[in-house]
Amino acid sequence: MNDRRRVNGPPGGTRPPVYASLLHSGTGAGDRAQRQRQPTELRKIFLKTGLIPSASGSSYLEFEPSASLAAARANPKSLIPPSSALKLACTVHGPKPLPRSAAFSPNLVLTTHVKFAPFAARKRKGHVRDSSERDLGVHLETALRGAIIAERWPKSGLDITITILEAEDDRWWGDAPDSHDASWGMMNVLAGCISAASAAIADAHIDCLDLVSGGVAALVSDDSTGSPSTAPKLMLDTDPAEHRSIVSACVVAYMPARDEITELWLKGDSSKASLAAGDERSGHEALIDGAVNAARGAHSVLAEAVKESLQKALGQS
């Protein structure tokens, strides 16, 4: 029943209007964001901890935008940017005692909460978490549970909250609505959440087996210039807006010191991959190895951010 005392908004999400002239001018390859990096080259990551004093630990992570996105922002040809960059903030509260009504737990009770800001994606998000946000929270909890030494905090709880300020696009805005739309950008979001949450946990001085970093690899059937390829190619840290078709993608949560994977999310058909001559690995194995290599690159940034935070804390004391 509608409330007659106020003007009710639309029941679903809203999208900005896209006019025919903009869509027609955006079909060319020049307006699409093009990958300027090598297949094994990762985007630069900005990661800093200790930005929220009221939390036990906090972090902020941001991916460097692509060269095409930076050029479009400097000299805009359209009202719609060709791509987006990932920006998120993470807070950790705890360990804190569980409520008296809660059941006894000999280990630390971990709770993860991932929420998109209403303006984070092109399709406006609501205030109530949807299924995709709940799925990200479950994946994040699984990735962090394998790294935290939970038995050291019995009858205690740990709350991890991540706010997505700007999310990765699932596809280029000029593509058809039903093409190249398989939530590929959610995998980059999960990888960023894993690295940011690990940095915030370290900032909260919670004992862990190792720092957990996230990495993404994907099989791209054709490059950003539109020339067809005979077989999908393996690329690390892919931006879905830079490619015309993504066949399969994989995101892992990886601990380099222990050489363990705490979380694995594989999507798509990776039966056919472009591998080097003499390589006997299957498409799934090559995709997982590529995601692990991307996680190793993110781990170097994560380790430097935690080291910088520790040096700052020791200097203040």
Side-chain angles (χ1 to χ4, degrees):
M1 181 176 180
N2 295 331
D3 189 357
R4 299 180 181 179
R5 295 174 297 178
R6 67 187 68 186
V7 178
N8 296 313
T14 59
R15 292 187 177 182
V18 180
Y19 299 97
S21 59
L22 294 177
L23 188 60
H24 178 74
S25 63
T27 55
D31 295 334
R32 180 191 293 269
Q34 299 182 8
R35 184 184 177 104
Q36 306 294 335
R37 299 171 284 120
Q38 297 297 325
T40 58
E41 184 180 356
L42 307 179
R43 287 176 290 182
K44 294 182 181 179
I45 302 176
F46 175 80
L47 180 60
K48 191 172 182 59
T49 60
L51 299 179
I52 303 177
S54 60
S56 303
S58 61
S59 64
Y60 173 79
L61 182 140
E62 180 177 344
F63 280 6
E64 180 191 31
S66 61
S68 299
L69 176 58
R73 289 177 175 175
N75 186 16
K77 298 180 181 179
S78 173
L79 298 177
I80 304 177
S83 178
S84 62
L86 180 63
K87 300 180 181 66
L88 57 91
C90 177
T91 58
V92 173
H93 297 275
K96 55 186 179 181
L98 293 175
R100 292 186 178 182
S101 59
F104 173 79
S105 176
N107 299 324
L108 180 69
V109 178
L110 179 63
T111 304
T112 57
H113 187 97
V114 179
K115 186 69 182 73
F116 283 79
F119 51 83
R122 286 178 181 157
K123 184 177 181 181
R124 189 173 180 86
K125 295 285 185 177
H127 295 284
V128 181
R129 289 197 305 166
D130 55 11
S131 59
S132 61
E133 294 169 336
R134 289 192 293 268
D135 290 342
L136 286 177
V138 172
H139 284 293
L140 179 61
E141 180 181 354
T142 306
L144 300 177
R145 190 178 296 277
I148 298 176
I149 306 177
E151 58 270 15
R152 294 191 179 181
W153 290 276
K155 301 184 294 183
S156 302
L158 184 67
D159 297 336
I160 299 176
T161 304
I162 293 183
T163 303
I164 310 297
L165 303 176
E166 185 175 354
E168 289 277 353
D169 293 328
D170 295 331
R171 59 183 176 84
W172 183 51
W173 65 269
D175 292 332
D178 56 346
S179 66
H180 193 197
D181 192 2
S183 301
W184 302 113
M186 300 290 291
M187 311 191 87
N188 292 332
V189 172
L190 177 59
C193 290
I194 294 172
S195 301
S198 181
I201 291 173
D203 185 51
H205 307 290
I206 298 174
D207 295 340
C208 297
L209 298 174
D210 190 14
L211 296 175
V212 187
S213 58
V216 180
L219 293 176
V220 181
S221 62
D222 53 2
D223 55 20
S224 59
T225 60
S227 60
S229 58
T230 57
K233 295 182 180 179
L234 179 64
M235 293 190 179
L236 308 185
D237 191 18
T238 56
D239 184 358
E242 295 177 344
H243 305 285
R244 294 182 179 271
S245 178
I246 295 180
V247 179
S248 178
C250 175
V251 56
V252 299
Y254 182 68
M255 295 190 297
R258 300 174 63 91
D259 194 19
E260 293 182 4
I261 295 177
T262 60
E263 173 64 9
L264 174 64
W265 183 13
L266 184 64
K267 180 188 293 186
D269 182 14
S270 57
S271 58
K272 297 180 181 180
S274 178
L275 304 179
D279 196 344
E280 299 180 354
R281 297 179 302 171
S282 63
H284 293 81
E285 295 175 352
L287 200 58
I288 295 173
D289 291 343
V292 168
N293 292 333
R296 287 196 180 112
H299 182 270
S300 60
V301 180
L302 176 60
E304 288 295 330
V306 173
K307 182 180 178 181
E308 180 182 355
S309 176
L310 180 60
Q311 292 176 352
K312 183 178 179 180
L314 293 177
Q316 292 178 354
S317 60

